[in-house]
Amino acid sequence: MEEVQSSAVQMPAHPSLPAPPVAAAGQASGFVKFLKDSFAGTVGGVAVTLVGHPFDTVKVRLQTQPTTNPIYSGAIDCVRKTLQWEGVGGLYKGVTSPLAGQMFFRATLFSAFGASKRWLATNPDGSTRALTTADYYKAGFITGAAAAFTESPIDFYKSQIQVQMVRAKSDPAYKPAYTSVSECVKATLRTSGLRGPFQGLSATLLRNAPANAVYLGSFEVLKGRAASYYGCETKDLSAPVVMAAGGTGGILYWLAIFPVDVIKSAMMTDSIDPQQRRYPSIPAAARALWAEGGVSRFYRGFSPCIMRAAPANAVMLFTVDKVTHLLNE
C-alpha cells in the first residue's frame, strides 16, 4: 500500500470553526525573539563589565580630575595610584551599579536592536526583505536612542561613585556625601526626585544615537563582509573574526563621539543639587570645558577608553553573537 504523508493532506476548513490564530502565533514568535535577544544581551553585559570596568574607572577619573594640580599625569599613573591607594578593588569602584545595570541595559540594547532590525525588514504588506547596509546603521541609531533611557541612570550612579576618590585627593577636607550606590540613589531621589537619576540624559542621547549607529551597524556589516569573503553564513564565522568585528566596532564608537562623552561625564559627576551645578546643560558644559583647556580638554581620558574599546567590545559582541546563535539552534 502506498504511504501517504500527513503533511500532504489538507483538510478543508469547517465553516463554523474560527480561522487559525496566525497573528497570535506571529506575536508569540516575536516575543520569543525578544526574550532571546534580552538573555543574550544580559550575558554580554556581565562579560563587558568584568573586562571593561577598570578601564572605565580610569577614563572617568582622568576626565573629571581638576585642571589645576591634576592628581594623575596619565592613564598609567592613574592605574598605579589607584592600586596604591585603594588596591585592585579601586579599579572596580562603583561596579555594583554597572554590573546589575549593564545586565539590564545590554538586555534592553540588544532586544531593541533585534526589534529594530525586524521592523526595518518588514514591508508595509507584512512580508519581509533582506536588510541593506544602511538598515543596520538605522537600526543602531534607533537602538542607541531607546537604550539611552536605561543607560543614563546606570552611568550616572557609576560616575558619582567613581569620582569620589578624585574629589578626596583634590581637597583633603572633602567628606564624601555617599560611599555606596544605595546611598547615592537615596540622596539623588531626596534632592531631585525621579529626575535625579537622569542627570546628563541629554548628553547621553546626543552620544548614544550616532555612536550606536556606527558601533552596531559596523559590527553587522563587517560580519557580513567577512561571511562573503569566507563563503559561509555569519553564524559560522570563527571567534577571532567575530571578535575582530566587535573590537573594530567598539573603537569606531569612541572615535565618533568621544568629546560628547567628556561632556556627559562632566554633567554626570556634577553636583546632584541643581542649584550648585557647574554644568547644567550641554552648551554650558561645552563652554566651561573649552575654557579649561580648549580642544585637548575634550580628549582627556581618551587613551584608557580606546585601550578598553577593543577587548571589552570584542568579548561582549562575541558573547552576545554566540549566545544568540545557540538559542536559535
Side-chain angles (χ1 to χ4, degrees):
M1 178 181 292
E2 184 178 344
E3 183 178 351
V4 180
Q5 294 182 358
S6 60
S7 60
V9 179
Q10 302 237 349
M11 297 298 292
H14 194 285
S16 63
L17 296 178
V22 177
Q27 291 171 0
S29 176
F31 183 66
V32 170
K33 290 177 181 177
F34 170 82
L35 291 178
K36 290 179 179 179
D37 291 336
S38 297
F39 180 75
T42 299
V43 178
V46 174
V48 75
T49 301
L50 294 178
V51 174
H53 192 79
F55 292 96
D56 191 70
T57 297
V58 174
K59 173 180 74 75
V60 171
R61 288 182 171 181
L62 289 174
Q63 286 179 340
T64 55
Q65 69 175 333
T67 303
T68 56
N69 300 319
I71 300 165
Y72 315 110
S73 60
I76 300 300
D77 186 53
C78 182
V79 172
R80 183 180 62 80
K81 287 179 177 176
T82 298
L83 292 174
Q84 177 184 339
W85 295 334
E86 303 168 82
V88 176
L91 294 173
Y92 283 90
K93 185 77 78 174
V95 75
T96 305
S97 173
L99 184 57
Q102 281 283 352
M103 294 168 68
F104 177 67
F105 163 59
R106 298 297 173 181
T108 303
L109 182 76
F110 287 101
S111 60
F113 189 49
S116 298
K117 289 188 291 184
R118 289 191 291 274
W119 176 67
L120 289 167
T122 303
N123 295 315
D125 62 1
S127 61
T128 58
R129 62 173 177 82
L131 291 171
T132 65
T133 297
D135 286 333
Y136 287 116
Y137 291 100
K138 292 176 186 176
F141 188 92
I142 295 168
T143 299
F149 291 90
T150 56
E151 185 178 15
S152 189
I154 297 166
D155 265 5
F156 167 66
Y157 288 121
K158 169 182 65 67
S159 299
Q160 284 285 323
I161 296 300
Q162 286 174 327
V163 81
Q164 294 297 322
M165 177 56 68
V166 175
R167 290 171 177 163
K169 292 297 180 180
S170 300
D171 180 6
Y174 174 75
K175 300 292 183 184
Y178 31 76
T179 56
S180 68
V181 173
S182 60
E183 290 178 3
C184 186
V185 170
K186 293 175 184 175
T188 53
L189 292 176
R190 185 169 57 250
T191 302
S192 302
L194 294 177
R195 296 180 60 182
F198 293 95
Q199 182 174 323
L201 173 61
S202 58
T204 306
L205 277 167
L206 183 62
R207 181 195 73 172
N208 275 26
N212 279 285
V214 172
Y215 172 53
L216 296 172
S218 296
F219 175 62
E220 293 288 349
V221 170
L222 287 171
K223 281 198 306 174
R225 295 285 189 273
S228 297
Y229 178 81
Y230 289 109
C232 65
E233 296 184 32
T234 54
K235 66 182 181 66
D236 297 320
L237 290 169
S238 66
V241 171
V242 176
M243 294 181 77
T248 302
I251 291 171
L252 292 175
Y253 178 109
W254 291 110
L255 289 176
I257 49 75
F258 192 81
V260 181
D261 186 70
V262 174
I263 292 173
K264 180 192 73 69
S265 291
M267 294 177 71
M268 286 188 169
T269 56
D270 205 358
S271 173
I272 63 173
D273 184 349
Q275 303 302 318
Q276 298 179 18
R277 288 179 192 163
R278 295 180 58 206
Y279 314 111
S281 66
I282 292 174
R287 286 192 297 269
L289 294 172
W290 180 269
E292 289 180 14
V295 174
S296 63
R297 180 63 182 87
F298 291 92
Y299 284 91
R300 187 182 293 175
F302 184 71
S303 296
C305 182
I306 287 297
M307 287 190 289
R308 170 191 184 275
N313 288 286
V315 169
M316 182 187 68
L317 289 178
F318 171 73
T319 300
V320 172
D321 196 65
K322 180 59 67 176
V323 172
T324 300
H325 287 318
L326 289 173
L327 290 174
N328 288 331
E329 287 181 352

Coordinates of all heavy atoms in Angstrom, one line a residue, residues 87-122:
G87 N 44.0 49.6 46.2 CA 44.1 48.2 45.9 C 43.3 47.9 44.6 O 42.8 48.8 43.9
V88 N 43.2 46.6 44.2 CA 42.6 46.2 43.0 C 41.1 46.6 43.0 O 40.5 47.0 42.0 CB 42.7 44.7 42.8 CG1 41.9 44.2 41.6 CG2 44.1 44.2 42.6
G89 N 40.5 46.6 44.2 CA 39.1 47.0 44.3 C 38.8 48.4 43.8 O 37.7 48.7 43.4
G90 N 39.9 49.3 43.9 CA 39.7 50.6 43.4 C 39.4 50.7 41.9 O 38.6 51.6 41.5
L91 N 39.9 49.8 41.2 CA 39.6 49.8 39.7 C 38.2 49.3 39.4 O 37.7 49.6 38.3 CB 40.6 48.8 39.0 CG 42.1 49.3 39.0 CD1 43.0 48.2 38.4 CD2 42.2 50.6 38.2
Y92 N 37.6 48.7 40.4 CA 36.2 48.2 40.3 C 35.3 49.1 41.1 O 34.2 48.6 41.5 CB 36.1 46.7 40.6 CG 36.6 45.8 39.5 CD1 37.9 45.4 39.5 CD2 35.7 45.4 38.5 CE1 38.4 44.6 38.5 CE2 36.2 44.6 37.5 CZ 37.5 44.2 37.5 OH 38.0 43.4 36.4
K93 N 35.7 50.3 41.5 CA 34.9 51.2 42.3 C 33.6 51.5 41.5 O 33.6 51.8 40.3 CB 35.6 52.5 42.5 CG 34.9 53.5 43.4 CD 35.0 53.1 44.9 CE 36.4 53.4 45.5 NZ 36.5 53.2 46.9
G94 N 32.5 51.3 42.2 CA 31.2 51.6 41.6 C 30.7 50.5 40.7 O 29.7 50.7 40.0
V95 N 31.3 49.3 40.8 CA 30.9 48.2 39.9 C 29.5 47.7 40.1 O 28.9 47.1 39.2 CB 32.0 47.1 39.9 CG1 31.8 46.3 41.2 CG2 31.9 46.2 38.7
T96 N 29.0 47.9 41.3 CA 27.7 47.4 41.6 C 26.6 47.9 40.7 O 25.8 47.1 40.2 CB 27.3 47.7 43.1 OG1 28.3 47.3 44.0 CG2 26.0 47.1 43.5
S97 N 26.7 49.2 40.4 CA 25.7 49.8 39.5 C 25.8 49.3 38.1 O 24.8 48.8 37.6 CB 25.9 51.3 39.5 OG 25.1 51.9 38.6
P98 N 27.1 49.3 37.5 CA 27.1 48.8 36.1 C 26.9 47.3 36.0 O 26.4 46.8 35.0 CB 28.5 49.2 35.7 CG 29.3 49.4 36.9 CD 28.3 49.9 37.9
L99 N 27.3 46.5 37.0 CA 27.2 45.0 36.9 C 25.7 44.6 36.8 O 25.3 43.9 36.0 CB 27.9 44.3 38.0 CG 27.8 42.8 38.0 CD1 28.5 42.3 36.6 CD2 28.6 42.2 39.1
A100 N 24.9 45.2 37.8 CA 23.5 45.0 37.8 C 22.9 45.7 36.6 O 22.0 45.2 35.9 CB 22.9 45.4 39.1
G101 N 23.3 47.0 36.4 CA 22.7 47.8 35.4 C 23.1 47.4 34.0 O 22.2 47.4 33.1
Q102 N 24.3 46.9 33.8 CA 24.7 46.5 32.5 C 23.9 45.3 32.0 O 23.6 45.2 30.8 CB 26.2 46.2 32.4 CG 27.1 47.4 32.3 CD 27.1 48.0 30.9 OE1 26.6 47.5 30.0 NE2 27.8 49.2 30.8
M103 N 23.6 44.4 32.9 CA 22.8 43.3 32.6 C 21.5 43.7 32.0 O 21.0 43.3 31.0 CB 22.6 42.4 33.8 CG 23.9 41.7 34.2 SD 23.8 40.9 35.9 CE 22.7 39.6 35.5
F104 N 20.8 44.7 32.7 CA 19.6 45.2 32.3 C 19.7 46.1 31.0 O 18.9 46.0 30.1 CB 18.9 46.0 33.4 CG 17.6 46.7 33.0 CD1 16.5 45.9 32.8 CD2 17.5 48.1 32.9 CE1 15.3 46.5 32.4 CE2 16.4 48.7 32.6 CZ 15.2 47.9 32.3
F105 N 20.8 46.9 31.0 CA 21.0 47.8 29.9 C 21.3 47.0 28.6 O 20.7 47.3 27.6 CB 22.1 48.8 30.2 CG 22.7 49.4 29.0 CD1 21.9 50.2 28.1 CD2 24.0 49.3 28.6 CE1 22.4 50.8 27.0 CE2 24.5 49.9 27.5 CZ 23.7 50.7 26.7
R106 N 22.2 46.1 28.7 CA 22.5 45.3 27.5 C 21.3 44.5 27.0 O 21.2 44.2 25.8 CB 23.7 44.4 27.7 CG 25.0 45.2 28.1 CD 25.5 46.1 26.9 NE 26.6 46.9 27.4 CZ 27.2 47.8 26.6 NH1 26.8 48.0 25.3 NH2 28.1 48.6 27.0
A107 N 20.5 44.0 28.0 CA 19.3 43.3 27.6 C 18.4 44.2 26.8 O 17.9 43.8 25.7 CB 18.6 42.8 28.8
T108 N 18.3 45.5 27.3 CA 17.5 46.5 26.5 C 18.1 46.8 25.2 O 17.4 46.9 24.2 CB 17.4 47.7 27.4 OG1 16.8 47.4 28.7 CG2 16.5 48.8 26.7
L109 N 19.5 47.0 25.2 CA 20.1 47.4 24.0 C 20.0 46.3 22.9 O 19.6 46.7 21.7 CB 21.6 47.5 24.3 CG 22.5 48.0 23.1 CD1 22.3 49.5 22.8 CD2 24.0 47.7 23.3
F110 N 20.2 45.1 23.2 CA 20.2 44.1 22.1 C 18.8 43.6 21.8 O 18.5 43.2 20.6 CB 21.1 42.9 22.5 CG 22.5 43.3 22.4 CD1 23.3 43.6 23.5 CD2 23.1 43.4 21.1 CE1 24.6 44.0 23.4 CE2 24.5 43.8 21.0 CZ 25.2 44.1 22.1
S111 N 17.8 43.7 22.7 CA 16.4 43.4 22.4 C 15.9 44.5 21.5 O 15.2 44.3 20.5 CB 15.6 43.3 23.6 OG 15.6 44.4 24.4
A112 N 16.3 45.8 21.7 CA 15.9 46.9 20.9 C 16.6 46.8 19.5 O 15.9 47.1 18.5 CB 16.3 48.2 21.5
F113 N 17.8 46.4 19.5 CA 18.5 46.2 18.2 C 17.8 45.1 17.3 O 17.6 45.3 16.1 CB 20.0 45.9 18.4 CG 20.8 45.9 17.2 CD1 20.7 47.0 16.3 CD2 21.7 44.9 16.8 CE1 21.5 47.0 15.1 CE2 22.5 44.9 15.7 CZ 22.4 46.0 14.8
G114 N 17.5 44.0 18.0 CA 16.8 42.9 17.3 C 15.4 43.4 16.8 O 15.1 43.1 15.6
A115 N 14.7 44.1 17.6 CA 13.4 44.6 17.2 C 13.5 45.6 16.1 O 12.7 45.6 15.2 CB 12.7 45.2 18.4
S116 N 14.5 46.4 16.2 CA 14.7 47.4 15.1 C 15.0 46.8 13.8 O 14.5 47.2 12.7 CB 15.8 48.4 15.5 OG 15.5 49.1 16.7
K117 N 15.8 45.8 13.8 CA 16.2 45.1 12.6 C 14.9 44.4 12.0 O 14.7 44.4 10.8 CB 17.3 44.1 12.8 CG 18.6 44.7 13.0 CD 19.8 43.7 13.1 CE 19.7 42.8 14.3 NZ 20.9 41.9 14.4
R118 N 14.1 43.8 12.8 CA 12.9 43.1 12.4 C 11.9 44.1 11.8 O 11.3 43.8 10.8 CB 12.3 42.2 13.5 CG 13.1 41.0 13.9 CD 12.4 40.1 14.8 NE 12.2 40.6 16.1 CZ 13.1 40.5 17.1 NH1 14.2 39.9 16.9 NH2 12.8 41.1 18.3
W119 N 11.8 45.2 12.4 CA 10.9 46.3 12.0 C 11.3 46.8 10.6 O 10.5 46.9 9.7 CB 10.8 47.4 13.0 CG 10.0 48.5 12.6 CD1 8.6 48.5 12.4 CD2 10.4 49.9 12.2 NE1 8.2 49.8 12.0 CE2 9.2 50.6 11.9 CE3 11.6 50.5 12.2 CZ2 9.3 51.9 11.5 CZ3 11.7 51.8 11.8 CH2 10.6 52.5 11.5
L120 N 12.6 47.1 10.5 CA 13.1 47.6 9.2 C 13.0 46.5 8.1 O 12.9 46.9 6.9 CB 14.6 48.0 9.4 CG 14.8 49.3 10.2 CD1 16.3 49.5 10.5 CD2 14.3 50.5 9.5
A121 N 13.1 45.3 8.4 CA 13.0 44.2 7.4 C 11.6 43.8 7.0 O 11.4 43.0 6.2 CB 13.7 43.0 7.9
T122 N 10.6 44.5 7.7 CA 9.2 44.2 7.4 C 8.6 45.2 6.4 O 8.6 46.4 6.7 CB 8.4 44.1 8.7 OG1 8.9 43.2 9.6 CG2 6.9 43.7 8.4

